[in-house]
Amino acid sequence: MIASILALIIFLIMFGVIISEKIERHIVSLVCGLLMLVLVFGLCMHSWSAIWRTLALGSFKELSFWYAGGEGESASSGINWATIIFIAGMMVMVEGMGKSGFFRWLCLLIAKIVHYKAVPIFITFMIMSFVLAMFIDSITVILFLAAVTVELAALLKFTPVPVILAEIFCANLGGSATMCGDPPNIIIGTSLGYTFADFITNTGLIALISLVFIIVFFYFCFRKQLVQKESNEKTIYPEPSSAITNVKDFVISALIFALAVVLLITHAQTGLTVATIGLGICLLTLITAGKNALELLKKVDYKTVLFFIGLFVVVGGLEETGILSIIAGFIAKISEGNVAVMIAIVLWVSAIASAFVDNIPFAATMIPVIKALAASQGVDIEILSWTLALGTDIGGSATPIGASANVVGISVAARNGYMIGWGKYCKYAAPATVIVMLISMFSIYIRYL
């Protein structure tokens, strides 16, 4: 009992300090993870086996960690090293693509194709944000998209705020479509043994349907704000080729990205796990970068990697002490075994929580909960998995602090003199989030119940 109470206190302290944003989140998670190992597992439980299971270092020597042989990846409690390796590897690849000018080239190419018209740019950039976020971290997608949007807005004489808001939302929506699109999905997929195809045929279809409604919604919200101002001066448009810093690096980075996409789509058939794919893509990027390899490594967001490690340890503490089983039992009691009610609770609680707190720790916390629910109530865990993924991925779109992509997009706009406050952001993003949540809920009901 003492161990359970202490584990819960450590978890709540971690969440509270992360929300306050007074201390960097990776420091908070690492300190709380260390407290969990020493105080809960060591002093209270005297369990070296719990420490070993949570650190999960033995997973590296297991063949199924690197090669699943088409059987699905092995799921383990504690630190999810497959998620960490995959995210770190993709970070290296994305840095290589950004350095070569790939993202800016793509934005300018699409702008040129639609003849530099504001409304077509608005719609195509929403779609591009959605598609890119299916394979690349949404933070990176918004970082480049928002910067190019501001540049084009100044050139074409329209306000970039509507476009940036729509891009942010579509990046979060696109991230929900695939296993590698959003960190919560990576955690869910590697923890429960799902493949890229599993996500794309379940959350992906719902996300695609939602995208159609969201494009229509944002168009009617912003169509009057996207009117271009008339100008007598001849406008000189930037050529897409001007964005390419090095042709050789550009071609190589594009080929590596294409290879990563192919490997992710086919990993159920090849048996290669996301850990192997992430590590392989990382090494290939570094080898082809040559003398620039060290520079790419320096730009990797190590704080996020460390945050994940500490987070998994804390969640492992909740799992080992039985706290998560208690939460699962509470949800089961409220729903009275009704699957439809259970889905609604998981979906809306995930969405509301993710609108105000980081969706990564919330998703990691809820995975053992839905596993316990599935085991005790006889519910198909896949249904709860897709529900959790959609709730955490989309719920973060509702507020400026709900997802990292939101913070990045607003920051880029602010640096260029366009302030997006809570009122303006929530006025459009909150209703859009509710729309997608309703579409998701009814889609899950229709398809799975």
Side-chain angles (χ1 to χ4, degrees):
M1 179 61 73
I2 295 175
S4 299
I5 294 172
L6 187 56
L8 183 60
I9 290 172
I10 292 172
F11 173 75
L12 293 175
I13 289 173
M14 182 189 76
F15 244 116
V17 178
I18 287 175
I19 293 170
S20 70
E21 298 184 337
K22 295 187 183 297
I23 304 175
E24 291 190 85
R25 66 179 190 171
H26 71 286
I27 296 175
V28 178
S29 71
L30 286 174
V31 170
C32 289
L34 182 61
L35 290 174
M36 193 70 76
L37 292 174
V38 175
L39 299 181
V40 177
F41 295 153
L43 293 179
C44 294
M45 297 174 63
H46 304 290
S47 176
W48 285 106
S49 60
I51 293 175
W52 181 251
R53 282 194 302 271
T54 302
L55 293 179
L57 296 174
S59 58
F60 289 105
K61 65 181 182 182
E62 295 177 6
L63 177 62
S64 59
F65 182 82
W66 304 105
Y67 177 72
E71 298 294 326
E73 296 180 39
S74 61
S76 62
S77 58
I79 299 177
N80 191 326
W81 290 110
T83 294
I84 291 168
I85 292 172
F86 177 72
I87 289 176
M90 296 301 280
M91 283 179 178
V92 173
M93 181 195 74
V94 167
E95 288 297 335
M97 294 172 70
K99 183 175 174 58
S100 69
F102 178 86
F103 297 107
R104 188 167 182 271
W105 167 82
L106 183 61
C107 292
L108 292 178
L109 177 65
I110 290 178
K112 183 178 181 180
I113 290 172
V114 297
H115 306 292
Y116 299 97
K117 300 296 182 182
V119 172
I121 286 176
F122 173 68
I123 295 172
T124 53
F125 272 37
M126 286 175 67
I127 297 171
M128 177 166 58
S129 180
F130 178 92
V131 173
L132 285 176
M134 290 171 65
F135 305 99
I136 300 174
D137 179 53
S138 57
I139 299 172
T140 303
V141 173
I142 292 302
L143 191 62
F144 286 95
L145 264 182
V148 177
T149 298
V150 170
E151 178 186 348
L152 289 173
L155 187 70
L156 304 177
K157 306 293 188 299
F158 67 88
T159 176
V161 172
V163 186
I164 292 175
L165 286 173
E167 287 167 352
I168 291 171
F169 194 92
C170 288
N172 291 325
L173 183 59
S176 71
T178 66
M179 180 175 165
C180 61
D182 218 20
N185 289 13
I186 301 172
I187 297 171
I188 292 169
T190 53
S191 297
L192 300 176
Y194 296 133
T195 66
F196 186 94
D198 290 332
F199 272 91
I200 201 74
T201 54
N202 289 280
T203 61
L205 289 176
I206 295 173
L208 189 60
I209 293 168
S210 300
L211 177 65
V212 176
F213 285 88
I214 289 305
I215 289 175
V216 174
F217 172 78
F218 280 130
Y219 171 75
F220 281 104
C221 284
F222 296 129
R223 66 189 187 283
K224 293 181 180 178
Q225 299 181 41
L226 293 170
V227 177
Q228 293 174 246
K229 296 178 181 177
E230 296 292 335
S231 176
N232 295 324
E233 299 178 8
K234 184 179 179 181
T235 306
I236 300 176
Y237 301 119
E239 282 295 320
S241 58
S242 66
I244 301 174
T245 57
N246 183 294
V247 176
K248 179 184 175 183
D249 291 345
F250 175 85
V251 172
I252 291 173
S253 65
L255 290 174
I256 292 175
F257 174 59
L259 176 63
V261 172
V262 171
L263 289 176
L264 286 167
I265 292 174
T266 61
H267 80 105
Q269 288 72 39
T270 63
L272 298 177
T273 65
V274 292
T276 301
I277 293 171
L279 182 61
I281 290 298
C282 173
L283 293 175
L284 186 58
T285 302
L286 294 176
I287 291 170
T288 55
K291 61 181 180 180
N292 295 320
L294 187 59
E295 183 182 347
L296 294 182
L297 283 174
K298 287 180 179 179
K299 289 184 177 181
V300 170
D301 186 3
Y302 292 104
K303 292 181 179 180
T304 295
V305 175
L306 293 173
F307 166 68
F308 272 107
I309 293 174
L311 166 66
F312 284 129
V313 172
V314 174
V315 174
L318 295 180
E319 188 173 6
E320 291 286 344
T321 55
I323 292 293
L324 299 181
S325 296
I326 294 173
I327 296 173
F330 180 70
I331 294 175
K333 184 178 180 179
I334 293 176
S335 63
E336 296 181 342
N338 187 309
V339 180
V341 176
M342 205 177 295
I343 288 171
I345 291 173
V346 172
L347 183 71
W348 288 99
V349 168
S350 299
I352 293 169
S354 297
F356 298 98
V357 301
D358 198 317
N359 61 1
I360 296 170
F362 185 85
T365 306
M366 285 295 293
I367 288 170
V369 172
I370 64 171
K371 286 170 72 175
L373 274 173
S376 64
Q377 301 299 309
V379 181
D380 187 349
I381 193 170
E382 286 198 16
I383 300 175
L384 296 180
S385 299
W386 312 139
T387 302
L388 176 62
L390 290 165
T392 51
D393 293 338
I394 308 304
S397 302
T399 66
I401 60 170
S404 299
N406 311 6
V407 178
V408 170
I410 292 170
S411 298
V412 172
R415 283 201 304 268
N416 289 275
Y418 299 96
M419 303 306 297
I420 303 175
W422 269 73
K424 180 179 288 186
Y425 183 93
C426 294
K427 178 182 178 181
Y428 302 105
T433 302
V434 172
I435 290 171
V436 176
M437 285 297 96
L438 289 172
I439 292 171
S440 300
M441 186 172 70
F442 288 117
S443 297
I444 292 170
Y445 284 165
I446 292 169
R447 182 170 180 182
Y448 303 110
L449 297 186

